């Protein structure tokens, strides 16, 4: 077994953090490395601890989860952020995903499902329920990346299609018989050519343009 997935918990309710920690401490491949009680502290702790995955609440006093997500993106922090929320409304979840979250789960999630979600986003997957993916697509600006698909090479189009299928870089490399470094280069080129910020936007662009599997 490799190094455990390092997780930071960010929630203003101590009982929630304690519950999440209890869920995760029994997982051999997941390690809780720290906690924070609001978004600002969460950003500071993420910069200090450099976790692999951050479990982030949305609604918190002071700096909320969405502002914290934007700050982490500005700092180019590599942590994958998984929203853990009690809110089911698209108007609450969609802004968080647009701010850079890799997906979301609800606070009453089954422990095994939570651990699976952490492993999934750590591997590079994007966790979107169909109705939220639809809402994101409907909100995408039609100008973003519009007409630029023709600038992609055939290989880049293959990589983009696999991103849309939720494949991690490792899985894409295996499927296309490439090195992970080469896949990362293709992903960077795709984002640059389509003027997109991250893999979530790339996946949505591919779905909108009929490139998903």
């Amino acid at each position: 077994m490799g190094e455990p997935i390092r997780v930071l918990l960010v929630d203003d309710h101590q009982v929630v953090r304690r519950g999440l920690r209890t869920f995760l401490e029994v997982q051999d491949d997941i390690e809780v490395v720290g906690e924070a009680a609001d978004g600002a502290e969460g950003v500071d702790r993420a910069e200090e601890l450099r976790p692999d995955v951050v479990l982030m609440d949305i609604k918190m006093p002071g700096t909320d989860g969405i502002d914290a997500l934007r700050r982490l993106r500005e700092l180019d922090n590599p942590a994958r952020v998984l929203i853990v929320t009690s809110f089911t409304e698209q108007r609450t979840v969609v802004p968080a995903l647009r701010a850079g979250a890799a997906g979301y789960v609800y606070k009453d999630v089954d422990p095994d499902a939570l651990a699976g979600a952490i492993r999934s986003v750590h591997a590079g997957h994007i966790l979107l329920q169909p109705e939220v993916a639809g809402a994101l697509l409907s909100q995408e600006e039609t100008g973003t990346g519009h007409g630029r698909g023709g600038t992609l090479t055939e290989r880049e189009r293959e990589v983009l299609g696999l991103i849309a299928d939720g494949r991690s870089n490792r899985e894409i490399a295996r499927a296309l018989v490439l090195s992970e470094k080469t896949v990362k280069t293709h992903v960077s080129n795709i984002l640059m050519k389509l003027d997109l910020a991250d893999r979530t936007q790339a996946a949505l662009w591919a779905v909108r343009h009929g490139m998903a599997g």
Side-chain angles (χ1 to χ4, degrees), residues 81-126:
V81 178
L82 180 63
I83 293 296
V84 183
T85 181
S86 56
F87 295 91
T88 60
E89 299 94 339
Q90 292 179 6
R91 61 184 176 83
T92 302
V93 176
V94 167
L97 294 169
R98 291 181 64 84
Y104 70 97
V105 294
Y106 297 126
K107 287 186 176 179
D108 61 355
V109 65
D110 177 86
D112 289 336
L114 174 62
I118 291 171
R119 296 184 187 107
S120 183
V121 299
H122 178 250
H125 294 257
I126 300 164

Side-chain angles (χ1 to χ4, degrees), residues 2-121:
E3 293 295 318
I5 302 170
R6 304 174 74 253
V7 175
L8 172 67
L9 308 177
V10 184
D11 195 291
D12 59 318
H13 293 101
Q14 184 177 6
V15 67
V16 173
R17 299 198 306 273
R18 184 177 301 161
L20 290 171
R21 181 181 283 273
T22 299
F23 285 170
L24 299 175
E25 282 181 340
V26 299
Q27 305 295 325
D28 293 336
D29 61 338
I30 296 174
E31 176 187 4
V32 178
V33 296
E35 300 181 14
D38 59 47
E41 184 184 3
V43 172
D44 290 342
R45 295 288 279 164
E47 284 291 282
E48 172 193 353
L49 298 170
R50 309 300 280 187
D52 300 308
V53 176
V54 177
L55 300 189
M56 180 89 72
D57 190 15
I58 293 181
K59 297 294 185 181
M60 294 181 285
T63 303
D64 65 14
I66 295 173
D67 286 338
L69 274 160
R70 291 173 179 148
R71 180 61 179 149
L72 287 173
R73 175 177 286 180
E74 290 171 0
L75 292 168
D76 200 25
N77 190 290
R80 301 276 287 169
V81 178
L82 180 63
I83 293 296
V84 183
T85 181
S86 56
F87 295 91
T88 60
E89 299 94 339
Q90 292 179 6
R91 61 184 176 83
T92 302
V93 176
V94 167
L97 294 169
R98 291 181 64 84
Y104 70 97
V105 294
Y106 297 126
K107 287 186 176 179
D108 61 355
V109 65
D110 177 86
D112 289 336
L114 174 62
I118 291 171
R119 296 184 187 107
S120 183
V121 299

